Amino acid sequence: MAVTAKQKTIISAPQKSSLAGTIPTKKLTKEQLFKTHAEHIKQQDATQTPNGPRPVKQPNLAEAYSASTKSIRDLEIIPLSDLSVETHHRGKGLIVKVVSPPYLGAGAVSLVEDHWGNVDKLAIYNQGDSAILSGVPEGCIVAVKEPYYVQNGAENDFMICVDHPSDVILLRFIDSIIPEPLRLGPLLKSAGEWTTAGDQAFLQRDFSTAVFCYTEALEGLEDHFAKAPVYTKRAGVNLLLGRYDAAKADALASRIGASADWKAYYNAGRAAYGLCEYATSKSYFEEALKLNDKGTANVQKEYGRVLARVEEEETGNYDFAAMHASLSPTSVHIDAGSFLRNTRVAESGFHGRGLFATRPLKAGDLVYVEKATLMPNQYDPVRASAALYSLMVRQLCDNPSLADTMLKLYPGQLPYDRTGAEGSMVDGVPVVDVFVVEGIRTKNCFSSPLSTYDDTKPTYNSVCMAKGLWAHSSLMNHSCVPNTMRSFVGDMLICRATRDVQEGEELFQQYVPVRTQVDMRNKEFEEGWGFECRCGLCEGERKSSEERSKKRKEAVLALEKFLDKKPSTGKGGTIVPDATIRTVDKMMRQLEDLHETEVYKSLPRLTLVYPCNWLVDAHRAKKQWGKVVKYSLKVLRNFGFNAAPRDEDPAKLTADWDPREIYTRSGEVSVMAIHVVASLRRLAEAYAALGHKELAERCVEAAKFGYTMVTGFSEDVDALGQ
């Protein structure tokens, strides 16, 4: 995410082992390694759930180290016996043969042997489940670039730890870099045999092995017409694996200059669609239809889908209600495009880059709609962060083109300088630095309910939040009093204007719901993102005297402590005694008096929202509608909506007050929240009870208008309950 001040994140370095920098003199013998590993494999076979999810090793940024950016061919190959503990062997490399089945946990642990006869343990982390390297088969040859050697907890037990997926390379059996003692010779003699092996692996749904076999087959073919059908097969498998960059390249490589190329364009169109490159996808499907003028049902169907996506990108026309209706616990990814035309990215006067309006926007207007760059279907709060991190790493490996979008985001400060080579191709794979990825995740991800509309319902479990990355939204700077509000429908982020916005004006969002006191919320910003907020509210509140600030804190603490013990409707729905209401009213007025007029005249007074809402509910339970009006209007003003009238007499408001004006006439320093909608509903109820039907109807319309901002699409304020 973009922020509004200088970053100040500090990362503490971990303590080093006493063996750090030394070659261990006491290690497990080859026999001990094989015996221990066999016991682990046996235990794994007895306890592991077939096809169950594997745990994720999430990086500790305090232990961060950079990924290798060098080719294995530019490194000095060293024996396993030369490895030093807790050392990143820069400029060095290993070429080893896997001599055991893998033990699968958070990583894949295998025994490996070099051509000098040394044996050690190799732990490979952060590989996608469909990658061969996620569980390297026995007999494969791998290269480890600039290896990191660590103690594995137990005495005399060490292993090579590979955190960055690009630091380990699966070598082809005939690669000339493999030392002669490790060479196996070609396992199959012909391209046809490799193709057959790929077909068999495909039928067994071992897709990563199928890709490997088809790749070997292609290396054995010279004639393009012979290669074309193998490219087609590999394109199809890559589509199944979600490797859309490779699928697109293979599909285009399979063209032979004949009408049969319609299938190549069809596969390329599907791959571009998977990358959300809808205009490109559209052009490929059109080429497919030109070559097969009758078309096939599948081509026509996919072409219709992509036309809908292109229209969404151009017009911003969505059926949000239908999107919401399509959601289920197993279906959270909406088939829709992103509408971003109302915004542009430019340098911000606050910090770094930001988003700016490309045209004038009215309160409630759609600013943009963005499909998640990445969002796993994982709403368990314990697993959500790890799931997003794992997906980010996997997608950067599988679809290197995503690097242009993801790796430009701010990762916070790392204990090393970024190389700038992240995302570039080295040894046929993209450089993926998992610590940069984790930094980007922590600074840029959003928590997302299944839908914001459902999240506003009293019965909804708001603890269930997914974590997702919306790269465009992440560029928007923070303000405690923003001019936009975000909401979610599945993996779609909807951004609406909360007040009128001029063309060229910078757009702001709240990173998190803001705390009521300036020092407390800025402590959260400092700890989470390393910045101090300079929005109108924070800068204004800093003008308050230290003495008044201290007294307000004391008053807020006392009031909240009292209110927490006094529910506004009493236990079992009983009415709160008048004496309790008078006490709360008195304490609230004392807190009001501690807000200096010269400071808070046009600022929100967030510390007063809670007691005001309490009084609204208490008077509503007693059907004291005049008091409900009084305190509901105070709630609006305490959120900074100063267009809300100060005279509570409904008779004086009926003729000329339109509650919707609070959104357009509130100025820059106001906070839109679900409580604003709730207050307008309470006003409508109170005005109706007092016989002011027209005014009540206006408040209902204003509540519906505000609810659309909050939920992104719905006017169903009745979902808020009573």
Side-chain angles (χ1 to χ4, degrees):
M1 289 183 176
V3 295
T4 56
K6 185 179 179 180
Q7 308 292 332
K8 302 177 183 177
T9 305
I10 298 174
I11 299 175
S12 301
Q15 292 185 342
K16 288 198 171 186
S17 163
S18 59
L19 295 175
T22 67
I23 297 175
T25 56
K26 294 183 179 181
K27 298 171 62 174
L28 296 178
T29 65
K30 183 183 297 188
E31 292 73 19
Q32 288 172 323
L33 283 169
F34 275 101
K35 180 181 178 181
T36 303
H37 191 73
E39 290 173 351
H40 289 158
I41 293 292
K42 184 177 180 180
Q43 182 182 18
Q44 169 185 271
D45 293 341
T47 60
Q48 193 173 62
T49 303
N51 301 319
R54 287 169 60 179
V56 176
K57 181 188 178 185
Q58 210 163 343
N60 180 355
L61 292 176
E63 300 174 355
Y65 65 95
S66 61
S68 176
T69 59
K70 296 181 179 179
S71 168
I72 187 64
R73 301 173 198 284
D74 297 329
L75 300 175
E76 177 190 352
I77 305 304
I78 62 172
L80 292 167
S81 57
D82 282 1
L83 295 173
S84 299
V85 180
E86 289 193 15
T87 299
H88 301 283
H89 296 78
R90 298 302 183 187
K92 314 292 184 182
L94 302 170
I95 295 179
V96 292
K97 176 184 176 182
V98 178
V99 292
S100 75
Y103 173 80
L104 303 178
V109 181
S110 303
L111 298 183
V112 294
E113 184 176 12
D114 63 20
H115 70 283
W116 289 280
N118 302 301
V119 175
D120 218 322
K121 283 195 293 189
L122 172 65
I124 300 176
Y125 298 97
N126 298 306
Q127 298 286 336
D129 291 341
S130 63
I132 291 181
L133 288 170
S134 67
V136 194
E138 188 174 0
C140 288
I141 312 294
V142 297
V144 182
K145 301 192 291 185
E146 301 186 316
Y148 180 37
Y149 198 53
V150 298
Q151 191 165 8
N152 191 33
E155 187 178 3
N156 303 336
D157 189 8
F158 303 88
M159 69 180 186
I160 306 150
C161 177
V162 182
D163 290 304
H164 305 294
S166 52
D167 281 358
V168 59
I169 307 296
L170 179 67
L171 297 176
R172 296 181 56 234
F173 293 118
I174 59 173
D175 196 312
S176 61
I177 199 174
I178 299 175
E180 191 63 36
L182 298 182
R183 288 183 177 273
L184 300 175
L187 298 182
L188 297 172
K189 295 182 179 180
S190 70
E193 289 174 311
W194 278 116
T195 302
T196 299
D199 294 344
Q200 291 172 345
F202 176 80
L203 291 173
Q204 295 169 1
R205 302 190 66 80
D206 185 358
F207 298 137
S208 56
T209 298
V211 168
F212 180 83
C213 293
Y214 291 143
T215 301
E216 292 293 320
L218 287 166
E219 290 296 326
L221 295 169
E222 294 183 1
D223 181 72
H224 178 70
F225 286 92
K227 286 184 174 183
V230 184
Y231 276 125
T232 299
K233 290 182 177 185
R234 196 171 68 173
V237 179
N238 278 322
L239 279 170
L240 289 171
L241 290 171
R243 297 174 182 171
Y244 299 117
D245 282 341
K248 184 168 66 171
D250 282 346
L252 296 176
S254 72
R255 292 174 294 181
I256 58 174
S259 60
D261 285 348
W262 72 265
K263 189 170 184 179
Y265 285 113
Y266 171 63
N267 284 333
R270 291 169 64 201
Y273 193 99
L275 293 167
C276 298
E277 298 172 355
Y278 298 122
T280 301
S281 177
K282 174 175 174 285
S283 68
Y284 287 145
F285 287 135
E286 287 173 345
E287 288 298 319
L289 290 170
K290 286 179 184 177
L291 293 172
N292 185 1
D293 55 1
K294 293 182 180 179
T296 68
N298 285 339
V299 178
Q300 293 287 358
K301 178 182 177 181
E302 295 301 317
Y303 185 55
R305 288 176 66 205
V306 81
L307 288 178
R309 302 294 81 78
V310 170
E311 182 182 359
E312 288 159 354
E313 288 183 329
E314 293 177 350
T315 66
N317 292 329
Y318 296 89
D319 188 342
F320 292 118
M323 287 183 182
H324 176 263
S326 72
L327 294 176
S328 73
T330 58
S331 178
V332 302
H333 297 108
I334 305 294
D335 189 11
S338 298
F339 171 68
L340 308 175
R341 288 174 176 261
N342 288 342
T343 63
R344 63 181 175 87
V345 180
E347 292 300 311
S348 169
F350 286 87
H351 179 83
R353 294 175 296 166
L355 295 185
F356 294 79
T358 59
R359 69 174 184 84
L361 298 166
K362 294 291 185 182
D365 278 357
L366 200 63
V367 180
Y368 64 83
V369 177
E370 183 181 9
K371 183 173 177 63
T373 309
L374 296 171
M375 192 198 85
N377 184 6
Q378 179 53 267
Y379 287 83
D380 182 342
V382 176
R383 297 184 175 92
S385 294
L388 176 58
Y389 159 77
S390 178
L391 182 60
M392 291 172 68
V393 172
R394 186 173 77 242
Q395 287 297 319
L396 283 169
C397 292
D398 288 350
N399 294 297
S401 64
L402 286 175
D404 288 340
T405 298
M406 291 171 56
L407 296 183
K408 291 179 181 178
L409 299 175
Y410 180 71
Q413 288 188 338
L414 297 168
Y416 56 86
D417 293 331
R418 290 181 65 174
T419 64
E422 298 90 358
S424 61
M425 300 297 289
V426 179
D427 292 324
V429 298
V431 175
V432 176
D433 187 316
V434 297
F435 298 101
V436 170
V437 173
E438 176 66 356
I440 289 172
R441 185 199 68 77
T442 59
K443 301 299 180 186
N444 295 274
C445 78
F446 293 92
S447 296
S448 164
L450 186 61
S451 82
T452 304
Y453 167 66
D454 291 316
D455 194 38
T456 64
K457 298 177 181 178
T459 56
Y460 186 77
N461 182 7
S462 60
V463 176
C464 296
M465 291 278 184
K467 299 282 186 182
L469 180 69
W470 286 263
H472 190 74
S473 302
S474 294
L475 296 173
M476 194 187 297
N477 278 308
H478 167 86
S479 172
C480 300
V481 283
N483 49 14
T484 74
M485 193 169 196
R486 68 176 174 271
S487 56
F488 298 93
V489 178
D491 67 338
M492 304 298 293
L493 186 153
I494 305 167
C495 178
R496 289 192 181 273
T498 55
R499 62 172 178 80
D500 293 353
V501 175
Q502 297 178 357
E503 181 179 348
E505 185 178 342
E506 184 166 3
L507 301 164
F508 294 96
Q509 63 181 330
Q510 286 183 351
Y511 284 1
V512 290
V514 295
R515 296 175 182 265
T516 61
Q517 298 181 59
V518 61
D519 57 341
M520 292 177 63
R521 61 178 177 266
N522 275 276
K523 180 182 179 182
E524 183 177 16
F525 302 148
E526 174 70 30
E527 292 175 349
W529 294 275
F531 73 90
E532 183 180 81
C533 184
R534 302 200 310 268
C535 72
L537 177 60
C538 288
E539 292 287 73
E541 288 198 290
R542 290 190 184 103
K543 296 175 183 178
S544 182
S545 70
E546 186 176 339
E547 180 183 0
R548 282 292 184 95
S549 296
K550 181 180 178 181
K551 288 183 177 179
R552 276 199 307 275
K553 286 182 183 179
E554 293 171 350
V556 168
L557 183 63
L559 184 51
E560 290 181 348
K561 184 176 180 180
F562 183 82
L563 291 176
D564 288 343
K565 296 179 180 179
K566 305 287 184 181
S568 56
T569 56
K571 292 183 179 180
T574 58
I575 303 300
V576 177
D578 288 342
T580 301
I581 294 176
R582 287 195 296 269
T583 300
V584 174
D585 188 56
K586 180 180 178 181
M587 294 176 75
M588 192 188 74
R589 282 187 279 110
Q590 290 172 343
L591 180 57
E592 281 181 329
D593 292 341
L594 291 172
H595 290 75
E596 305 98 319
T597 302
E598 63 274 18
V599 173
Y600 285 94
K601 182 178 180 181
S602 59
L603 292 181
R605 298 180 296 177
L606 299 180
T607 58
L608 292 166
V609 170
Y610 179 26
C612 273
N613 272 326
W614 189 97
L615 287 167
V616 169
D617 290 340
H619 287 298
R620 180 172 175 263
K622 298 169 77 70
K623 301 188 184 302
Q624 295 174 337
W625 302 115
K627 295 290 187 180
V628 172
V629 169
K630 174 182 177 179
Y631 291 106
S632 295
L633 290 173
K634 279 181 176 287
V635 170
L636 297 178
R637 292 197 296 272
N638 288 330
F639 273 114
F641 292 97
N642 292 306
R646 297 179 182 277
D647 190 336
E648 292 89 21
D649 184 356
K652 297 180 180 180
L653 299 177
T654 303
D656 56 5
W657 185 50
D658 182 355
R660 285 180 56 158
E661 292 180 355
I662 66 170
Y663 304 117
T664 58
R665 293 171 51 190
S666 59
E668 295 186 0
V669 189
S670 60
V671 180
M672 182 59 195
I674 189 64
H675 301 292
V676 173
V677 177
S679 293
L680 288 164
R681 291 186 74 217
R682 296 291 177 255
L683 278 171
E685 182 184 27
Y687 286 142
L690 292 169
H692 296 281
K693 181 180 178 182
E694 182 182 353
L695 197 50
E697 290 173 351
R698 293 182 201 167
C699 288
V700 169
E701 290 304 310
K704 290 180 178 180
F705 187 72
Y707 198 49
T708 302
M709 296 184 201
V710 172
T711 65
F713 71 95
S714 177
E715 294 186 347
D716 181 21
V717 292
D718 291 337
L720 294 173
Q722 297 300 314

